[in-house]
Amino acid sequence: MMTGYLLGRAGVDALVLEKHSDFNRDFRGDTIHPSTLDLMYELGLLGEFLKLPHQQVPALAGIFNGHTARIADFWRLPTQCKFIAFMPQWDFLNFFAAEARKFPSFSLQMEHEVTDLIFDGERVTGVRVRTPSGSAEIFADLIIGADGRHAITHARAGFETKDIGVPIDALWMHISKRPGDPKQLFGFFRHGKLLVLIDRDDYFQAGFVIPKGDIEFIKQQGLPYLHEQIVALAPFLKDRISELDDWSKIKLLTVQINRLRKWYREGLLCIGDSAHAMSPAGGVGINLALQDAVATANLLAAKLQIGPVSLADLQQIQKRREWPTRVIQAMQAFIHRHVVTGRESKSSDSLPLIVRLLQWFPSLRALPARFVGMGPRPEHLSAFIRNAGIR
Ligand SMILES: Cc1cc2nc3c(=O)[nH]c(=O)nc-3n(C[C@H](O)[C@H](O)[C@H](O)COP(=O)(O)OP(=O)(O)OC[C@H]3O[C@@H](n4cnc5c(N)ncnc54)[C@H](O)[C@@H]3O)c2cc1C
């Protein structure tokens, strides 16, 4: 959506295909990062955007083995907005869709599921699409695969994936809120277990991290066992945990970290999770995907106005974005090992060493804030795209 918006703004004919009929899904996380808010500012959209209901979180805290600890201070960042905005991702996407539709060269087709790529020799020239009125073929100078972790684009292109082992999966569910609940307390860590609660105003979107592949074991133990595990982390949920009275209310999200060895071939570029699936650790995947979108538009928009782009142009995108991806994925693997499931987190009732360091030296909390809030190579709009929107 972001790539489509930026290309549409630059006057490039851009068509976004979305397989669902709306954006109302739970599984993607709700974080709008300071670097994304900077982009909104550069686009002149920040004021309007912040009118949408959201929560501003200037610092992240966790409860580690019963001790509350601050781990990231966004108010230390050199950005326009010194907070993470929590907003359901469907509001964010609907906002961009509405803004993008103001550009005559942008269009969005919902309920258009890409089912295959179309090739002319080695070159990708289009996509096959399933629509409510039947199947169709759509041809384009460039197909951008931004279709997430289970992307059909990278599968059909035959791209090779490098998997980075992930020791966790996540159970994803709604738990109701009550007056007096703690405010936006994000993570509860205890002895290698983690519960994340995202405040969605009238309910919590809850993520409970389990060892990879343990879902069958947990199901065998039964729902009361799961309730007990969750309440052990967040005792204030005891009075309502029985709401989770059926496994259909609990979704299993298999967590992956991987990246493509090559993100492109003639006529096709993969970005976002399609090029590099991200774990929820650190809540950085959305930011990374958006930064890919900006780099893509910055490097390709002027060229796409004229026609197809070359392999060398596409290689530039991977070159620019692969390094931040590697850094973030290495950090996520580190978080899995040392904070979530690591030996240290299982072995004592005290704070993990990294978290203790962040308490002893508060200025260090700018580092996780930078990592989560901005990422290693925050992108800014090229003058070409920024000025293109001024009408
Ligand atoms: C449990 C969990 C929680 C997470 N929480 C966070 C968080 O709090 N913060 C954070 O920053 N990151 C989080 N992440 C990571 C984040 O969700 C991803 O990194 C991010 O959404 C990637 O964005 P994307 O646009 O590349 O892909 P997606 O957000 O997956 O978007 C892909 C889009 O393509 C559509 N699509 C898919 N296939 C097709 C097709 N064949 N045809 C047409 N349309 C198609 C999908 O419907 C979807 O709209 C989490 C991940 C998981 C698994």
Side-chain angles (χ1 to χ4, degrees):
M1 180 63 77
M2 178 61 107
T3 318
Y5 169 88
L6 294 172
L7 292 178
R9 180 177 169 116
V12 177
D13 281 336
L15 168 61
V16 174
L17 304 172
E18 166 56 54
K19 69 177 172 183
H20 292 106
S21 58
D22 58 38
F23 295 115
N24 294 4
R25 264 161 313 280
D26 276 338
F27 61 87
R28 295 188 185 117
D30 291 3
T31 45
I32 312 293
H33 302 79
S35 55
T36 305
L37 296 165
D38 267 4
L39 291 171
M40 303 269 198
Y41 175 76
E42 292 172 20
L43 291 166
L45 299 175
L46 184 63
E48 274 309 298
F49 182 69
L50 290 178
K51 286 183 191 161
L52 296 177
H54 68 282
Q55 293 166 52
Q56 300 185 357
V57 178
L60 278 188
I63 300 197
F64 296 83
N65 300 330
H67 308 278
T68 303
R70 276 240 303 275
I71 46 179
D73 289 341
F74 300 108
W75 51 265
R76 295 176 192 269
L77 293 180
T79 45
Q80 283 295 322
C81 296
K82 295 175 188 305
F83 53 82
I84 285 201
F86 275 80
M87 177 187 291
Q89 202 178 106
W90 50 85
D91 286 345
F92 176 78
L93 290 168
N94 284 329
F95 175 84
F96 261 100
E99 288 297 325
R101 282 193 175 104
K102 294 178 186 168
F103 303 123
S105 52
F106 172 91
S107 51
L108 166 64
Q109 295 288 354
M110 304 302 285
E111 291 184 273
H112 276 54
E113 178 178 2
V114 172
T115 55
D116 208 349
L117 298 175
I118 301 171
F119 290 87
D120 179 2
E122 284 302 297
R123 186 179 180 82
V124 177
T125 53
V127 287
R128 291 204 169 78
V129 188
R130 190 181 298 132
T131 79
S133 51
S135 40
E137 294 186 340
I138 296 173
F139 294 89
D141 286 339
L142 178 65
I143 305 298
I144 298 179
D147 43 346
R149 303 185 293 153
H150 307 294
I152 191 93
T153 50
H154 74 215
R156 290 290 195 270
F159 287 152
E160 202 190 326
T161 306
K162 178 181 162 53
D163 264 300
I164 294 142
V166 176
I168 57 165
D169 283 328
L171 300 182
W172 211 233
M173 52 228 155
H174 289 192
I175 301 180
S176 64
K177 272 180 65 186
R178 304 265 162 95
D181 284 345
K183 294 244 171 278
Q184 195 55 261
L185 265 175
F186 194 61
F188 298 77
F189 302 77
R190 183 179 276 278
H191 298 173
K193 300 207 169 74
L194 166 60
L195 175 74
V196 172
L197 294 181
I198 299 174
D199 186 341
R200 287 226 180 116
D201 214 20
D202 51 347
Y203 67 92
F204 290 115
Q205 177 65 54
F208 182 59
V209 171
I210 60 169
K212 195 162 241 355
D214 258 17
I215 183 65
E216 283 315 316
F217 169 78
I218 293 173
K219 280 192 169 170
Q220 274 166 17
Q221 304 303 305
L223 278 169
Y225 171 79
L226 178 65
H227 294 169
E228 214 176 278
Q229 302 274 312
I230 293 175
V231 170
L233 289 166
F236 71 96
L237 296 177
K238 190 167 187 216
D239 56 359
R240 66 206 89 158
I241 197 69
S242 56
E243 291 168 359
L244 299 173
D245 55 3
D246 193 288
W247 286 105
S248 64
K249 296 185 179 170
I250 299 159
K251 286 182 208 130
L252 171 72
L253 292 176
T254 50
V255 177
Q256 303 171 326
I257 304 184
N258 63 39
R259 58 179 175 265
L260 300 181
R261 292 192 193 277
K262 206 167 158 200
W263 299 15
Y264 60 89
R265 57 184 291 168
E266 264 188 278
L268 174 73
L269 170 70
C270 288
I271 58 171
D273 267 25
S274 170
H276 44 72
M278 305 304 287
S279 148
V284 288
I286 295 169
N287 194 32
L288 194 65
L290 289 168
Q291 303 289 318
D292 285 1
V294 175
T296 301
N298 280 346
L299 290 163
L300 301 186
K303 291 177 179 167
L304 282 168
Q305 273 188 341
I306 302 163
V309 289
S310 68
L311 271 182
D313 293 325
L314 301 179
Q315 187 185 23
Q316 285 299 312
I317 315 280
Q318 176 170 355
K319 232 171 141 186
R320 187 165 176 85
R321 296 306 309 160
E322 189 170 5
W323 171 76
T325 304
R326 281 170 178 264
V327 171
I328 293 179
Q329 290 186 328
M331 190 61 88
Q332 292 195 317
F334 178 88
I335 293 173
H336 290 156
R337 270 200 313 276
H338 292 274
V339 183
V340 181
T341 57
R343 228 182 320 146
E344 187 176 14
S345 62
K346 284 182 182 158
S347 60
S348 86
D349 264 339
S350 62
L351 294 175
L353 177 63
I354 302 171
V355 180
R356 260 182 282 159
L357 282 172
L358 296 173
Q359 310 315 296
W360 293 336
F361 306 105
S363 58
L364 285 183
R365 296 201 286 257
L367 293 175
R370 212 180 168 96
F371 170 72
V372 173
M374 298 172 69
R377 179 181 266 164
E379 301 285 351
H380 293 277
L381 294 175
S382 67
F384 178 71
I385 300 214
R386 204 184 305 204
N387 297 335
I390 300 169
R391 283 163 296 163

